[in-house]
Amino acid sequence: MPPAPRSDRRNEHSRRAILDAVFELAATKGYGKLTIEGIAAAAGVGKPTIYRWWECKGSVALEAIAERLGSAGEFPDTGDIAADLTEHMRSMVDMLSGDIGRIYRGILAEAQTDPELMDTVRAVMVDPRVEQCARRLEIAVAAGQLRDDIPIREMVEIFYAPLYYRLLLGGNDLAETPAVVEYVLDGLRPARIER
């Protein structure tokens, strides 16, 4: 396994060329046809340069899409959990509806047989959003907007499941995913006691 990338040794011009090349190639030719050789040629660098900084094509492609995402997908906190979750889901759908989503699907497919890439996917894409979601749900539970008898991590999984189902399996239109938030919340809200 190559050593971990050292950002202090990266040439920013080469790094930018590589990230732009991997995104352009994956978006136009498809992630499955992406190769390190092709990335190197398009970026005007040698393969060793890429391998010095990234362990595989999935790692470099993941950095390329993560960079384009920036802070998109962060959770708002307006005090209204339904509005905040719906806004977050809209933001996620916007991110995943185009080239980023197509590339991310390819990375996720490859990660199924590459445990190191899966660890990178979790660290870069999944875990930060899970942590943000969990914090926002904890606030909603404390405010009495959501039930307190369901573990927060289970709530997070219930919330994201429709998005990943639609992204990966195409079960329904991805753009309609924010509408599912209200159905999910119906099951997570505290029961009203009739008097």
Side-chain angles (χ1 to χ4, degrees), residues 67-88:
E67 184 180 80
R68 281 167 173 73
L69 294 177
S71 62
E74 291 186 0
F75 268 85
D77 185 355
T78 64
D80 178 346
I81 191 63
D84 295 347
L85 290 176
T86 301
E87 179 55 35
H88 172 73

Side-chain angles (χ1 to χ4, degrees), residues 20-137:
D20 289 346
V22 74
F23 190 86
E24 179 65 24
L25 289 170
T28 58
K29 296 184 180 215
Y31 180 81
K33 294 183 180 175
L34 187 66
T35 64
I36 294 295
E37 292 81 9
I39 297 167
V45 302
K47 288 190 329 184
T49 300
I50 296 172
Y51 281 120
R52 184 171 46 243
W53 298 335
W54 296 280
E55 58 198 34
C56 63
K57 75 174 187 178
S59 296
V60 66
L62 193 60
E63 185 168 330
I65 64 172
E67 184 180 80
R68 281 167 173 73
L69 294 177
S71 62
E74 291 186 0
F75 268 85
D77 185 355
T78 64
D80 178 346
I81 191 63
D84 295 347
L85 290 176
T86 301
E87 179 55 35
H88 172 73
M89 190 58 68
R90 258 193 214 104
S91 174
M92 294 296 294
V93 166
D94 287 348
M95 289 187 310
L96 298 172
S97 290
D99 291 338
I100 288 174
R102 283 188 294 280
I103 296 167
Y104 187 41
R105 278 192 300 272
I107 294 167
L108 288 172
E110 184 175 322
Q112 300 308 303
T113 58
D114 182 340
E116 288 181 27
L117 180 57
M118 182 59 81
D119 288 345
T120 304
V121 167
R122 291 196 66 79
V124 172
M125 295 293 286
V126 178
D127 292 346
R129 285 163 184 84
V130 165
E131 293 304 318
Q132 289 177 9
C133 184
R135 282 194 300 272
R136 184 62 190 91
L137 294 174

